[in-house]
Amino acid sequence: VVAARGTLAELRRSHPGEQLVDLTASLVLPGFVDTHVHFPQVRMIGALGMPLLDWLERSALPEEARLADVDYARGVARDFLTGLVRAGTTTALVFGAHYPAAVDVLFTEASQRGVRVTAGLVVSDRILRDDLLTTPERAYDEGRELAERWHGSGRLRYAVTPRFSLSCSDVLMDSCGALHKDIDGSWFTSHINENPAEIAAVTELFPDSADYLATYGRHQPVGERSVFAHNLHASAAELATLAQARASVAHCPTSNAALGSGLFPLREHIESGVRVALGSDVGAGTGFSLLKEGLQAYFMQQLLGEAGLPLTSAHLLYLATASGAASLGLAGQVGEFSIGREFDAVWLRPVEGSTLDCGLRNADSADQALAKVFALGTDADVARVWIGGVEVSG
Ligand code: GUN
Ligand code: ZN
């Protein structure tokens, strides 16, 4: 836990007996918070050239079906957590698998490594391939069993996770609402307003719903423990409802660009009062690095011209850390280095002679150094990572 802040000389004087770990080379940042990432998709990152629904059918879902084999799922969970930690991510809201044993394996591996994971069983009862479908009763029972085992155990929490309205009937959404209500302090996460073809199909399947958000909201309260991914094509009414509910939106810029989903209306979110944080959305996103997501978020706002919200490097750091912590209800605990916060941290130490190394040697302010980190930093520059003060290795 961060006990004091000050210059090295001051802290040396006030804490003379303490062991000194010298991290003065380069930068120490709060551990990154990824508010939307799919664990079963780590091995299929990089399937480029398709819009959302084709990408799901041809690339993502065939891989997700392989997680029916629990040994395969264990390997995937290990690859996934290694990827997260090596990118400097210490907290994540994770889309689990469609199979309870695979979600169990994810929680087991996360608890062994100490990563702060909120995750759940992904459920669907229509449209997707048959081997990914469940029933409302099974979804409730299997989710409840997982939540009873893992919710509140160490740093782990349960998230009720209907895949998206397109693949979830009203009855399944009802069972998700009941589970969210019955598991005290559980989270709720799903996708929303990502792609025009997806939105048109949802509108057709839910003719009585006012909008996409209402397909979720009529079954469970949308509230401060709800996180919706994407929301690229949101209406003013949906933004107002999200703001009033204090729900959060996970902005996933490399995914949005890779799938050609659209340009995120960040200004509209912020002006409506909706909290936004970053998500890698692996495997549609092109890697785990929230530095890359931050840079792509910046690009996207630049490309929006007058409609965009110009972002500084401090904004990018906020989106990748403190805002993510707040959207996951962990603002008092992690996401920054204030006194009393747990020490979740990333030591960025660029490879000697790399362009980032050169850039940092020639930065003349902290803001400038931070901008160079977002422009040039990669997983290779993450030298050490701590969660709750304990060093974790990928
Ligand atoms: N919508 C439903 N499933 C998915 C998914 O796996 N990735 C993305 N980006 N959108 C989705
Ligand atoms: Zn996603």
Side-chain angles (χ1 to χ4, degrees), residues 36-38 41 95 191 194 229-230 252 281-282:
H36 184 74
V37 56
H38 296 253
Q41 297 176 5
F95 248 70
H191 296 94
E194 182 175 2
H230 306 302
C252 309
D281 197 24
V282 155

Side-chain angles (χ1 to χ4, degrees), residues 151-393:
H151 184 58
S153 157
R155 296 169 179 149
L156 307 175
R157 301 176 307 176
Y158 196 78
V160 176
T161 314
R163 186 163 199 121
F164 59 161
S165 300
L166 190 59
S167 66
C168 300
S169 70
D170 266 322
V171 194
L172 181 62
M173 290 287 199
D174 265 339
S175 93
C176 289
L179 184 59
H180 187 36
K181 181 166 142 280
D182 293 348
I183 303 299
D184 198 28
S186 61
W187 290 76
F188 180 88
T189 191
S190 196
H191 296 94
I192 194 165
N193 289 321
E194 182 175 2
N195 164 291
E198 167 219 14
I199 297 166
V202 167
T203 306
E204 205 165 299
L205 282 167
F206 294 90
D208 307 333
S209 263
D211 48 38
Y212 202 143
L213 183 59
T215 64
Y216 299 113
R218 66 191 198 186
H219 301 278
Q220 55 260 305
V222 171
E224 54 190 355
R225 278 181 283 108
S226 310
V227 179
F228 292 97
H230 306 302
N231 210 30
L232 294 166
H233 311 283
S235 67
E238 286 171 306
L239 290 171
T241 307
L242 288 168
Q244 198 175 19
R246 306 184 67 196
S248 299
V249 166
H251 172 33
C252 309
T254 73
S255 162
N256 299 161
L259 297 175
S261 303
L263 296 169
F264 184 65
L266 179 60
R267 180 184 288 284
E268 286 79 349
H269 280 71
I270 299 306
E271 286 178 355
S272 307
V274 179
R275 175 171 293 287
V276 174
L278 287 179
S280 67
D281 197 24
V282 155
T286 61
F288 288 105
S289 177
L290 288 193
L291 298 176
K292 177 152 73 165
E293 294 304 328
L295 181 65
Q296 184 66 39
Y298 165 81
F299 287 159
M300 221 180 239
Q301 295 310 308
Q302 292 293 103
L303 289 169
L304 277 163
E306 293 279 292
L309 193 64
L311 294 171
T312 64
S313 56
H315 288 133
L316 302 184
L317 181 63
Y318 176 75
L319 287 168
T321 56
S323 194
S327 75
L328 299 182
L330 299 171
Q333 218 174 315
V334 296
E336 43 154 320
F337 292 145
S338 303
I339 291 170
R341 302 297 194 283
E342 292 188 46
F343 188 71
D344 285 16
V346 186
W347 189 30
L348 292 166
R349 192 174 192 225
V351 179
E352 222 178 296
S354 65
T355 310
L356 178 57
D357 186 31
C358 161
L360 291 179
R361 285 178 202 286
N362 291 286
D364 30 79
S365 68
D367 279 349
Q368 220 180 66
L370 196 54
K372 287 170 188 292
V373 162
F374 278 99
L376 292 161
T378 69
D379 298 1
D381 302 305
V382 173
R384 296 173 72 179
V385 178
W386 294 261
I387 304 179
V390 174
E391 188 164 2
V392 286
S393 60

Side-chain angles (χ1 to χ4, degrees), residues 71-144:
D71 291 325
Y72 186 83
R74 189 173 299 107
V76 171
R78 288 178 180 158
D79 290 348
F80 171 78
L81 288 162
T82 296
L84 272 190
V85 169
R86 288 204 180 173
T89 297
T90 50
T91 298
L93 176 58
V94 181
F95 248 70
H98 286 268
Y99 306 104
V103 179
D104 196 65
V105 158
L106 171 72
F107 277 129
T108 303
E109 294 288 326
S111 98
Q112 282 168 7
R113 297 186 201 213
V115 181
R116 296 182 204 277
V117 163
T118 303
L121 180 70
V122 178
V123 297
S124 291
D125 66 347
R126 64 180 176 195
I127 292 178
L128 308 186
R129 46 189 287 160
D130 285 349
D131 51 359
L132 295 178
L133 301 183
T134 187
T135 63
E137 297 73 31
R138 249 181 67 208
Y140 181 92
D141 293 344
E142 291 173 351
R144 182 157 189 143

